[in-house]
Amino acid sequence: STMWKYIRIIGAISFFGGFMAKSYFGEKSREACAERVLAFYKRASPNSINDGDKHNAHFVCYKYRGRTEKLYKKLEKKYGIPVKEVHESYFGEK
């Protein structure tokens, strides 16, 4: 009976720990998406309402969670500029 108690405790920790890990990694990927979208808007549409709007970038990334490539393709089609990784530079281009 004591052994089953510990097995249940370990099972519960594993179960809820999985949700915590999923939440943590989901937040990190949304944050990376938002940074990428903000860098894109800074280049594609400077001085617009979307340039520097972190809340909008987070919302768009949340809306397209799991489908970020579709989001990037839509932005590329709309503005005609490729969506680059955050570490790639938009500056120095014409």
Side-chain angles (χ1 to χ4, degrees), residues 34-63:
E35 288 179 17
R36 194 170 172 183
V37 168
L38 284 172
F40 174 79
Y41 276 132
K42 187 171 282 300
R43 172 72 173 123
S45 182
N47 300 323
S48 73
I49 193 162
N50 293 324
D51 177 27
D53 186 3
K54 290 182 183 180
H55 295 292
N56 182 50
H58 280 280
F59 173 73
V60 168
C61 291
Y62 176 77
K63 184 177 170 185

Side-chain angles (χ1 to χ4, degrees), residues 5-21:
K5 178 180 174 183
Y6 289 119
I7 289 173
R8 284 185 277 199
I9 290 172
I10 291 171
I13 290 171
S14 299
F15 181 75
F16 291 112
F19 285 119
M20 291 173 58

Side-chain angles (χ1 to χ4, degrees), residues 6 8 10-11 13 19 21 25 27 29 39 41 44 47 54 61 64 67-68 70-73 78 80-81 89:
Y6 289 119
R8 284 185 277 199
I10 291 171
I13 290 171
F19 285 119
F25 290 118
E27 182 63 32
S29 68
Y41 276 132
N47 300 323
K54 290 182 183 180
C61 291
Y64 282 91
R67 301 175 294 138
T68 54
K70 184 176 181 180
L71 166 65
Y72 301 147
K73 286 182 184 191
K78 181 175 181 180
I81 298 173
S89 177

